[in-house]
Amino acid sequence: MQSPQPLRNGDTTPSPHRSRFSTPQHHVQSTLSVEKLKRFNSLILLFRLTAFCFTLASSVFMLTNSTSSHWYDFDAFRYVLAANGIVTVYSLFEMGASVWEILNGATLFPEFLQVWFDFCHDQMFAYLLLSADSAGTELVKTLRRTDTCTVTSAFCLQSDIAIALGFVGFLFLGFSSLLSGFRVVSFIINGSRFCL
Amino acid sequence: MQSPQPLRNGDTTPSPHRSRFSTPQHHVQSTLSVEKLKRFNSLILLFRLTAFCFTLASSVFMLTNSTSSHWYDFDAFRYVLAANGIVTVYSLFEMGASVWEILNGATLFPEFLQVWFDFCHDQMFAYLLLSADSAGTELVKTLRRTDTCTVTSAFCLQSDIAIALGFVGFLFLGFSSLLSGFRVVSFIINGSRFCL
């Protein structure tokens, strides 16, 4: 159960407790542990970056979707834009937190708060994004039977693209949620966000 | 870390290992543990039962929603019915599994399989139900601006009720998901679906 622990929040100097174990073998294990944590955090960062790119692209596509009709005339499109915008800002913040953690080896908030904050928000925003994109999909399907889509197909095509981008964003937010869920479980098990 | 363990799958007789610890104090703790497990399982059963009732009611409301218009003419309403139907069947199965566990003190499937099966399906079906109900909500909103709702408001009202019931079902499926998530974490921590 006990494995070499990576650095905790703000914990940059070795404690007297740790120094008892500072044999060469322990040093190698500790380095390996920190390396694995860095790789794990880099993977989370990659997922966050992808979710950020797709939700940002989705927001931009929806925001500029004004030909003969305007996106703000439809509740569902406003919902899509709001959900994607929120996830874009959240992903940007989480990317900053990940970069901070990779560079400093410690979480931005206290570790307990950070792992629960990440997991709960990932879950909540994944539900929000899925709900918005589902509503948006249904609206576009309905619009296809009306003049809005037959007169200017560009409006509906751009809406389709925005929603599809949002779904991809949801997918990567889901992957991030799996990894942040793993961090929560690790934290519960051995008091650290990462267990070897 | 080690706590008195409730019965595992199919494990109804005390093992020789257990008999080493069968002091009166251990017996009291073990009884307490089994009692707590029963209460926990009863709570899950209550959530499953509520989710079952609401998704069944939602399915029935949608299935009988045929006045001047018919539910099967709209993709989103078919999606709502399918999602609620799936969750109804799933909840019924899970209720059976819970009752089995409460009566026999052991899981229906092997414990490892059962906790992961419950959690993964809870998560997946919660996403499915939310997506369907969001799409249904958007469709009803759109229909309100058309003749379908102005001529016979009963059709749209019944759709609204069916979708609202589906959302309540989603809420209770979400609660079940929290508890099954707790069982997964407990299982990972100490090899049992329930930790004191």
Side-chain angles (χ1 to χ4, degrees):
Chain A
M1 182 64 76
Q2 290 302 316
S3 61
Q5 302 296 317
L7 291 173
R8 299 294 185 84
N9 182 44
D11 188 7
T12 50
T13 52
S15 67
H17 175 75
R18 271 202 193 102
S19 63
R20 285 200 296 125
F21 298 101
S22 53
T23 59
Q25 192 192 353
H26 175 78
H27 179 72
V28 170
Q29 279 184 337
S30 185
T31 310
L32 270 175
S33 173
V34 171
E35 276 305 305
K36 280 196 178 185
L37 179 60
K38 274 196 174 175
R39 276 212 296 274
F40 188 83
N41 284 337
S42 303
L43 189 64
I44 292 185
L45 181 61
L46 185 70
F47 287 154
R48 300 269 183 219
L49 180 66
T50 317
F52 169 78
C53 291
F54 278 96
T55 50
L56 178 66
S58 174
S59 306
V60 171
F61 263 77
M62 190 52 86
L63 202 62
T64 56
N65 194 12
S66 291
T67 48
S68 59
S69 299
H70 303 284
W71 61 270
Y72 48 78
D73 291 333
F74 303 93
D75 283 345
F77 290 162
R78 287 206 295 266
Y79 185 22
V80 169
L81 180 65
N84 276 288
I86 288 170
V87 175
T88 304
V89 173
Y90 169 69
S91 298
L92 188 65
F93 168 77
E94 284 290 348
M95 277 162 60
S98 279
V99 170
W100 171 279
E101 197 176 327
I102 290 168
L103 292 179
N104 298 303
T107 50
L108 191 63
F109 300 145
E111 198 172 4
F112 168 81
L113 186 65
Q114 184 79 53
V115 293
W116 280 107
F117 177 90
D118 294 350
F119 179 64
C120 293
H121 282 83
D122 282 350
Q123 284 277 313
M124 208 170 60
F125 289 143
Y127 280 131
L128 179 76
L129 202 53
L130 180 69
S131 168
D133 287 328
S134 299
T137 305
E138 184 49 38
L139 178 60
V140 175
K141 271 179 68 69
T142 314
L143 288 180
R144 287 208 182 284
R145 291 191 293 270
T146 66
D147 285 345
T148 314
C149 276
T150 46
V151 175
T152 58
S153 62
F155 178 76
C156 287
L157 183 66
Q158 196 163 333
S159 305
D160 270 340
I161 294 171
I163 291 163
L165 289 168
F167 272 120
V168 181
F170 159 75
L171 202 69
F172 281 93
L173 189 59
F175 290 150
S176 308
S177 170
L178 282 180
L179 294 191
S180 57
F182 177 79
R183 279 161 58 114
V184 167
V185 173
S186 298
F187 186 79
I188 293 172
I189 292 175
N190 64 359
S192 160
R193 65 196 178 279
F194 184 72
C195 71
L196 266 175
Chain B
M1 181 61 79
Q2 291 301 316
S3 62
Q5 302 295 317
L7 291 174
R8 299 295 185 84
N9 182 43
D11 188 6
T12 49
T13 53
S15 67
H17 174 77
R18 270 201 195 102
S19 64
R20 286 200 296 124
F21 299 101
S22 53
T23 60
Q25 192 193 353
H26 177 79
H27 179 72
V28 170
Q29 279 184 337
S30 187
T31 310
L32 270 175
S33 174
V34 171
E35 275 304 306
K36 280 197 177 184
L37 179 60
K38 273 195 175 176
R39 276 212 296 274
F40 188 83
N41 284 337
S42 303
L43 189 63
I44 291 186
L45 181 61
L46 184 71
F47 286 153
R48 301 270 184 217
L49 179 67
T50 317
F52 169 78
C53 292
F54 278 97
T55 50
L56 178 67
S58 173
S59 305
V60 170
F61 263 78
M62 190 52 85
L63 201 62
T64 57
N65 195 12
S66 292
T67 48
S68 60
S69 300
H70 304 282
W71 62 269
Y72 48 78
D73 292 332
F74 303 93
D75 284 345
F77 289 161
R78 287 206 295 266
Y79 186 23
V80 168
L81 179 65
N84 276 288
I86 288 170
V87 175
T88 304
V89 173
Y90 169 70
S91 298
L92 189 65
F93 168 77
E94 284 289 348
M95 278 162 60
S98 280
V99 170
W100 171 278
E101 197 176 326
I102 290 169
L103 292 179
N104 298 302
T107 51
L108 191 62
F109 299 145
E111 197 171 6
F112 168 81
L113 186 65
Q114 184 79 53
V115 293
W116 280 106
F117 177 91
D118 294 351
F119 179 64
C120 293
H121 282 83
D122 282 352
Q123 284 277 314
M124 208 170 59
F125 289 144
Y127 280 129
L128 179 77
L129 202 53
L130 181 69
S131 168
D133 287 328
S134 300
T137 306
E138 184 50 36
L139 178 60
V140 176
K141 272 179 67 68
T142 314
L143 288 179
R144 287 208 182 282
R145 290 192 293 270
T146 66
D147 285 346
T148 314
C149 276
T150 47
V151 175
T152 58
S153 62
F155 179 76
C156 288
L157 182 66
Q158 196 163 332
S159 306
D160 269 341
I161 294 171
I163 291 163
L165 289 168
F167 272 120
V168 181
F170 159 74
L171 202 69
F172 281 92
L173 189 60
F175 291 150
S176 308
S177 170
L178 281 180
L179 295 191
S180 57
F182 176 79
R183 278 162 58 113
V184 167
V185 173
S186 297
F187 186 78
I188 293 172
I189 292 175
N190 64 358
S192 161
R193 64 197 178 278
F194 185 71
C195 71
L196 264 177

